[in-house]
Amino acid sequence: MPRTGNRDPGAHVADSHDLIRVQGARVNNLKDVDVELPKRRLTVFTGVSGSGKSSLVFSTIAAESQRMINETYSTFVQGFMPTLARPDVDLLDGLTTAIIVGQERMGGDVRSTVGTATDANAMLRIVFSRLGQPQIGSAQAYSFNVASISGAGAVTQERGGRKVRERRTFTITGGMCLRCEGRGSVTDIDLTALYDDTLSLNQGALTVPGYSMDGWFGRIFRGCGYFDPDKPIRKFTKKQLDDLLYKAPTRIKVEGINLTYEGLVPKIQKSMLSKDVESLQPHIRAFVERAVAFGVCPECDGTRLNAEARSSKINGTSIADACAMQISDLAAWVRTLEEPSVAPLLSALGETLDSFVEIGLGYLSLDRPSGTLSGGEAQRTKMVRHLGSALTDVTYVFDEPTIGLHPHDIQRMNDLLLRLRDKGNTVLVVEHKPEMIAIADHAVDLGPGAGSDGGEVVFEGTVDDLRRSDTITGRHLEDRASLKEQVRTASGVMKVRGADTNNLRCVDVDIPLGVLVALTGVAGSGKSSLIAGSVAGRDGVVVIDQGAIKGSRRSNPATYTGLLDPIRKAFAKANGVTAALFSANSEGACPNCKGAGVVYTDLAMMAGVSTPCEVCGGKRFLADVLEHRLGGKDISEVLAMSVTEAVEFFAAGESRTPPAVKVLERIADVGLGYVALGQPLPTLSGGERQRLKLATQMADKGEVYVLDEPTTGLHLADVERLLGLLDRLVDSGKSVIVVEHHQAVMAHADWVIDLGPGAGHDGGRVVFEGTPSDLVAARSTLTGEHLADYVAPGPR
């Protein structure tokens, strides 16, 4: 029932629906959660990583809002939309339209840029089509996604009972550079990496991932008739080799089946090189990096546009020049254009560009590939389209909007969220940073722990009351770091000379080795450019970035970390059977559900239904496999264990398995001791997935570890655990470089390198090198000022 309380009897009943009510939420680890959230207010959700925040906000409230909106469309339209199942909840009341602004990186298409992702390019192309001189055509003449084509032919029409043939011609003027097909870069494929020419195709000459002679590729190569699959490739004629590598798509018939044959090179270009390299699966990315050399297109000089599009200019500036400008400079340039005929368009474009500056992304350029944006930059780029929106009574849902933000920038983000609220919108924010929690009107704290120990609302009320509460968040909200009294002494230095990647200005810096180094600076100051351009790729350097980890719903922590391999071998050895029996993706899989544990029924435009498998009861394995035991447990019981339980199980006794313990301890070290070994990866939170990636890559035999914002998704209480892990790495003889904005990490470092002083062309310089104490004492940079305000009184 709607809340009545002391409501004015004369008030309209429609004004009483001022709450979003959730009752009996059980998604993931939520335990029948009941919560009431005020509308048109800013509510922050806190709690340790894995406590259920994302399950409540994204998987319950936002998911149901989007599902109900989708149901308003016709079934025909719904057939083209993603299907969403109803969340496991008893009651959801008072929902409004939800707009989700999440952490996911933007699309990995190589043609996607900041400009195309935000409609700024579309508006800029229209401006040039109206004002550019010489005039070359419509807006698509300035688009690097449209190729210029022309054609002619005869068209037969029926008029008055007679067939009339007419000759028609057509021309489309596009802006795409034909040399690179609008990508800005060209690829040179090393043919020796595609095949071993001493072998025949049947002997396994092809070395391209996925191109096996056992499947359809083998059928096509054997049945095409263009070459002998038993002849070594080095003995192919020139024509045969050309057919193998470059032949255009051609229809062929193999064993009575119509198929398409296509040469290796165009097939690889379509399947692998049309995507952003970073978005590829690890084994395919390794192949591409080994076999393909990327270079700037010599025809368009990386602008993606043909000569005609680049020749049309406004006041001496081409669209390529405009897209390459820093957005803050481009906004100023647009304001210099005074043309009444396109005034509304210039105004809208100027407002969009100003939104970029306002949100702290003025240092980007419109031609920046969207796949290169960090999670925080991508999230803020998505916000741009909402800042000037006239919509009200909308629920905006944000997932840690402070990711990638320097403390100096967080206040700006706070102002933007409050503006959205003050327009009459409901703002729901999942957040860990005290600076953002402080501005909330309402706080919901989940816990008390993570995983099975969480999923309950442990506090609901004002932020002041949260500070006084005895929850983990309440106790840590006022935490302040202490500066080290003594810092470690470097064992050497990594010299960086003349670094000029992106906005770096010929930077010379010595990065100390054998210590914990914090690389700081405002967003866009050049931190990632320094790492990517001058540190990554050196011998012994392991970079652990924020890239998403790949995995289907069949993937889990045991499979992702490689933990399942020693476990399967231990089971196989103890029972005298093959290890493949203990894989739900191999011989041991239940035949009914094929090892998934559930049977999924696709209902077309309706949400699909998944039900536990009746044969295996959701255990995923054959009944015969579950009779094999190790230490009194079957494989399904082991996968149901938490990491902490599994460490004890595999540490001693009949089930003692040292290789498994080594992996489990790394997972526990990053704070994931509560996670079940068989928990599907998609059910882990963003912070949990990043730390799982950290645990996996820590096994690499590197000497220098570079971590990109490892505190992402970490509760204040967990940051201390992370610092302990970093200390253990350094004490074991490793060098650790942390790109970080969290003041507690800066204060704990042995050495700080601060870049700035601003972002974009206002940054790119080293503005401070020294100990955290010296940084605080000097207060000469933005980082120094914020760190001085944050740290507890201590040594100076």
Side-chain angles (χ1 to χ4, degrees):
M1 293 291 293
R3 188 172 63 174
T4 53
N6 297 320
R7 186 167 55 85
D8 178 3
H12 197 287
V13 68
D15 297 329
S16 64
H17 299 281
D18 54 357
L19 290 175
I20 295 175
R21 295 191 302 141
V22 181
Q23 289 183 4
R26 293 176 294 275
V27 175
N28 296 330
N29 68 329
L30 297 179
K31 300 172 181 174
D32 280 310
V33 165
D34 297 344
V35 68
E36 292 188 345
L37 309 175
K39 288 185 181 178
R40 294 172 289 280
R41 299 292 185 271
L42 195 158
T43 299
V44 67
F45 294 81
T46 60
V48 297
S49 181
S51 60
K53 304 182 298 298
S54 296
S55 297
L56 176 59
V57 179
F58 293 94
S59 303
T60 304
I61 299 172
E64 178 65 357
S65 172
Q66 291 200 321
R67 187 186 71 85
M68 297 183 77
I69 290 169
N70 288 358
E71 286 188 349
T72 64
Y73 299 108
S74 69
T75 53
F76 174 77
V77 173
Q78 289 183 51
F80 296 96
M81 303 174 73
T83 54
L84 303 168
R86 187 183 188 280
D88 187 5
V89 59
D90 293 336
L91 174 70
L92 277 168
D93 187 41
L95 295 178
T96 67
T97 302
I99 295 176
I100 300 174
V101 187
Q103 297 176 19
E104 296 81 11
R105 292 188 174 220
M106 301 183 76
D109 192 296
V110 290
R111 290 195 179 89
S112 176
T113 65
V114 169
T116 60
T118 58
D119 297 335
N121 258 47
M123 290 187 277
L124 194 61
R125 289 197 296 267
I126 299 172
V127 170
F128 270 87
S129 71
R130 301 294 187 273
L131 305 181
Q133 294 296 329
Q135 290 257 325
I136 62 170
S138 65
Q140 64 187 10
Y142 299 88
S143 170
F144 54 75
N145 285 323
V146 179
S148 293
I149 57 175
S150 60
V155 178
T156 302
Q157 290 182 323
E158 192 168 315
R159 292 180 186 166
R162 297 176 56 197
K163 288 187 176 180
V164 180
R165 287 172 62 85
E166 294 181 352
R167 183 171 176 77
R168 297 280 180 87
T169 61
F170 74 93
T171 302
I172 296 175
T173 303
M176 177 189 289
C177 169
L178 297 180
R179 172 75 172 83
C180 63
E181 296 182 336
R183 295 184 176 94
S185 64
V186 289
T187 55
D188 184 17
I189 298 177
D190 179 6
L191 299 182
T192 62
L194 306 186
Y195 56 81
D196 180 349
D197 67 355
T198 65
L199 302 176
S200 70
L201 291 173
N202 278 338
Q203 290 173 323
L206 298 182
T207 54
V208 183
Y211 285 61
S212 165
M213 294 295 286
D214 297 332
W216 277 106
F217 282 118
R219 277 185 166 186
I220 292 171
F221 286 138
R222 290 189 190 100
C224 66
Y226 299 130
F227 36 70
D228 182 356
D230 290 314
K231 183 196 290 188
I233 292 179
R234 65 169 49 174
K235 294 185 178 179
F236 277 17
T237 65
K238 188 174 181 182
K239 174 75 167 61
Q240 289 171 336
L241 188 60
D242 188 74
D243 285 343
L244 173 67
L245 295 176
Y246 302 109
K247 194 171 185 69
T250 307
R251 299 291 291 174
I252 62 172
K253 183 169 279 194
V254 179
E255 300 172 14
I257 303 171
N258 290 321
L259 298 168
T260 300
Y261 176 88
E262 187 174 16
L264 280 177
V265 170
K267 201 163 189 67
I268 289 170
Q269 287 175 330
K270 288 178 185 175
S271 63
M272 298 180 186
L273 304 186
S274 63
K275 302 171 185 173
D276 180 51
V277 177
E278 295 299 316
S279 70
L280 298 173
Q281 291 178 304
H283 69 291
I284 296 178
R285 183 171 64 187
F287 164 75
V288 169
E289 291 173 344
R290 182 178 72 249
V292 182
F294 294 87
V296 175
C297 175
E299 191 77 27
C300 65
D301 197 25
T303 62
R304 305 166 180 252
L305 294 160
N306 59 30
E308 197 173 17
R310 301 197 306 272
S311 69
S312 180
K313 299 184 178 183
I314 301 175
N315 299 338
T317 299
S318 70
I319 190 168
D321 299 330
C323 290
M325 286 184 191
Q326 186 166 303
I327 288 177
S328 56
D329 297 336
L330 179 59
W333 179 77
V334 168
R335 281 192 287 272
T336 66
L337 305 179
E338 295 182 3
E339 178 56 51
S341 62
V342 290
L345 185 62
L346 291 173
S347 175
L349 176 58
E351 288 174 6
T352 298
L353 298 174
D354 287 340
S355 294
F356 272 102
V357 178
E358 192 177 1
I359 211 165
L361 294 177
Y363 59 87
L364 296 178
S365 59
L366 294 185
D367 64 2
R368 170 87 173 261
S370 58
T372 65
L373 299 180
S374 69
E377 287 172 332
Q379 187 178 33
R380 283 177 282 150
T381 299
K382 294 173 200 170
M383 284 182 70
V384 167
R385 65 175 64 240
H386 302 303
L387 293 182
S389 172
L391 292 172
T392 61
D393 266 324
V394 170
T395 299
Y396 286 97
V397 186
F398 293 95
D399 190 4
E400 290 191 69
T402 59
I403 286 176
L405 285 184
H406 188 272
H408 174 70
D409 298 316
I410 291 179
Q411 183 57 50
R412 179 185 291 169
M413 177 61 73
N414 286 350
D415 293 341
L416 293 172
L417 294 180
L418 292 174
R419 265 179 48 196
L420 284 175
R421 178 202 66 184
D422 293 345
K423 284 170 61 176
N425 298 306
T426 304
V427 181
L428 308 180
V429 183
V430 174
E431 190 52 79
H432 293 293
K433 291 283 177 68
E435 300 97 318
M436 180 157 283
I437 294 173
I439 68 165
D441 304 300
H442 189 70
V444 177
D445 193 25
L446 283 98
S452 59
D453 294 329
E456 301 173 35
V457 174
V458 294
F459 172 84
E460 189 177 357
T462 67
V463 176
D464 287 338
D465 289 339
L466 176 61
R467 287 194 179 95
R468 292 190 288 267
S469 71
D470 194 34
T471 66
I472 294 178
T473 305
R475 292 195 297 270
H476 287 272
L477 209 50
E478 298 298 325
D479 277 1
R480 291 294 179 266
S482 298
L483 294 169
K484 285 182 174 179
E485 295 186 14
Q486 287 187 316
V487 295
R488 301 179 183 91
T489 303
S491 59
V493 296
M494 179 188 293
K495 294 181 182 293
V496 174
R497 296 291 179 268
D500 58 0
T501 305
N502 297 330
N503 68 327
L504 295 179
R505 302 189 178 186
C506 222
V507 166
D508 294 340
V509 64
D510 291 337
I511 302 175
L513 298 176
V515 297
L516 177 59
V517 177
L519 185 59
T520 62
V522 297
S525 60
K527 305 182 297 298
S528 298
S529 298
L530 181 64
I531 294 299
S534 303
V535 177
R538 296 194 184 196
D539 289 342
V541 174
V542 177
V543 179
I544 304 171
D545 60 19
Q546 294 182 22
I549 65 177
K550 303 288 187 301
S552 67
R553 56 186 173 186
R554 284 178 172 272
S555 302
N556 53 52
T559 59
Y560 181 77
T561 60
L563 170 65
L564 193 57
D565 289 337
I567 291 177
R568 287 167 52 204
K569 288 175 183 174
F571 266 94
K573 185 177 179 181
N575 294 278
V577 293
T578 176
L581 282 177
F582 303 99
S583 169
N585 297 321
S586 187
E587 292 178 23
C590 166
N592 187 53
C593 63
K594 297 180 175 56
V598 295
V599 176
Y600 182 79
T601 306
D602 186 5
L603 298 178
M605 72 284 177
M606 302 291 287
V609 176
S610 57
T611 54
C613 175
E614 295 178 357
V615 176
C616 66
K619 293 186 176 181
R620 305 173 63 191
F621 293 91
L622 287 162
D624 294 347
V625 174
L626 298 180
E627 291 177 5
H628 299 302
R629 296 183 171 266
L630 176 69
K633 303 276 187 186
D634 65 41
I635 184 67
S636 68
E637 291 171 329
V638 168
L639 291 177
M641 289 181 179
S642 70
V643 171
T644 305
E645 292 169 340
V647 170
E648 295 180 13
F649 179 75
F650 288 109
E654 179 197 340
S655 56
R656 183 174 181 272
T657 312
V661 173
K662 186 181 275 188
V663 179
L664 287 163
E665 286 178 340
R666 286 202 306 270
I667 301 174
D669 277 345
V670 296
L672 295 179
Y674 59 88
V675 171
L677 305 188
Q679 183 175 343
L681 281 189
T683 66
L684 297 179
S685 69
E688 288 169 332
R689 287 196 291 267
Q690 189 187 21
R691 281 181 286 150
L692 191 63
K693 183 178 182 180
L694 173 61
T696 304
Q697 294 190 255
M698 275 169 50
D700 294 344
K701 291 181 168 50
E703 294 301 318
V704 180
Y705 286 88
V706 181
L707 283 71
D708 187 6
E709 291 193 70
T711 60
T712 299
L714 278 188
H715 187 270
L716 297 162
D718 295 324
V719 172
E720 194 171 328
R721 183 198 293 265
L722 175 70
L723 293 176
L725 171 63
L726 300 181
D727 280 340
R728 287 196 297 278
L729 274 174
V730 175
D731 293 340
S732 69
K734 308 292 185 184
S735 303
V736 179
I737 303 169
V738 184
V739 180
E740 191 54 82
H741 294 294
H742 201 295
Q743 295 100 318
V745 179
M746 298 179 199
H748 195 76
D750 301 302
W751 193 259
V752 177
I753 298 173
D754 195 22
L755 292 176
H761 57 47
D762 295 324
R765 295 192 294 269
V766 174
V767 293
F768 176 84
E769 295 177 76
T771 65
S773 296
D774 293 339
L775 178 62
V776 167
R779 295 180 75 120
S780 57
T781 68
L782 287 170
T783 304
E785 290 178 16
H786 284 276
L787 184 58
D789 292 338
Y790 182 85
V791 295
R796 289 287 187 271

